[in-house]
Amino acid sequence: IFAWGRQRLRDVGLAGGNVLPGIAYGIIWWALTVGAVAAIAFVRGTPLQWPVFEKTLGPLVKQLVVLAPAEEVVFRGFIMAQFYLKLRGICSRSAVTLTAAILISQLVFALWHIPHRMSEHIAVAEMATNLALTLVAGILFCLVYVWTGNLLTALAVHAASNVFGLFAYTENFRLTQLIMIGWALILADLYARLGRKVTAKLETRSRLVR
């Protein structure tokens, strides 16, 4: 995939310096999500189901080592980038080009899941809704990746989102999902802002040294 796209690992934010920030992003995102859900449950006085780590360790390892990395590299690191490069020759407005690249690539991502959904015997009537949710998830992963410039942050959100037992949740699981999405985007924005500040400081120091 990388050879075909003429990409290096650092082109998609997988350089060595991004590993620890990517891991930190995933841990902080998980902790904030669990904390927010627990706080809401406490205020409402509703029952809370806590994560059962011994039951989720195997699925999490499978997601982190195989499934999430494969899909992130292919659909976010490669296909989205290739659509962006191709569309940039048609439209000079980068925001429009990026939006189109995200939507098209994640539509492909959603359609990619059809055979898997069929193997799960999902009814045809439910297929459209299921694929729409997959499309939304793909767009979320794209936004996290684009804002942070680090594919590991998107990988962390992707992998953990597929292992539902990792999160505390109430009977309203949709609320947990909304909190997950909210924290993912907020932290991605903070990550980007912090990165710009660090880069600016390093550039200032390098000018002073010269």
Side-chain angles (χ1 to χ4, degrees):
I1 290 293
F2 281 102
W4 184 19
R6 298 179 182 178
Q7 292 174 306
R8 297 161 295 182
L9 289 177
R10 64 185 180 188
D11 291 333
V12 295
L14 290 178
N18 282 334
V19 173
L20 289 180
I23 293 173
Y25 173 96
I27 293 173
I28 294 171
W29 168 70
W30 172 83
L32 288 173
T33 299
V34 171
V37 172
I40 292 173
F42 176 78
V43 170
R44 290 184 172 181
T46 56
L48 183 69
Q49 181 69 44
W50 285 98
V52 183
F53 296 110
E54 60 268 23
K55 294 183 179 180
T56 59
L57 182 59
L60 179 61
V61 170
K62 181 176 72 173
Q63 287 290 334
L64 288 173
V65 176
V66 181
L67 299 179
E71 290 189 340
E72 287 307 313
V73 167
V74 172
F75 291 101
R76 258 66 69 182
F78 178 71
I79 293 180
M80 184 185 71
Q82 296 305 312
F83 271 117
Y84 176 77
L85 292 173
K86 299 297 182 184
L87 293 172
R88 195 169 58 179
I90 301 173
C91 178
S92 59
R93 297 177 61 182
S94 59
V96 175
T97 304
L98 180 60
T99 301
I102 289 175
L103 292 176
I104 297 171
S105 62
Q106 299 322 297
L107 179 59
V108 176
F109 173 66
L111 295 176
W112 164 263
H113 286 76
I114 290 178
H116 182 256
R117 298 295 184 264
M118 293 175 65
S119 70
E120 294 178 327
H121 306 292
I122 292 179
V124 176
E126 298 176 6
M127 184 69 74
T129 301
N130 195 286
L131 294 180
L133 292 174
T134 303
L135 172 63
V136 171
I139 292 173
L140 169 65
F141 304 150
C142 282
L143 293 176
V144 170
Y145 168 45
V146 170
W147 286 357
T148 62
N150 186 345
L151 198 64
L152 289 176
T153 57
L155 193 155
V157 174
H158 186 165
S161 297
N162 285 344
V163 184
F164 301 125
L166 278 175
F167 296 90
Y169 60 91
T170 64
E171 68 278 358
N172 185 358
F173 187 69
R174 294 299 180 194
L175 176 62
T176 303
Q177 291 180 312
L178 289 175
I179 293 173
M180 291 165 62
I181 292 172
W183 276 124
L185 295 177
I186 291 170
L187 286 176
D189 181 63
L190 293 175
Y191 186 111
R193 291 175 186 270
L194 179 61
R196 286 194 292 269
K197 288 182 179 180
V198 171
T199 301
K201 287 182 179 180
L202 291 175
E203 290 177 349
T204 301
R205 289 176 185 173
S206 66
R207 285 197 296 270
L208 290 174
V209 170
R210 289 198 297 269

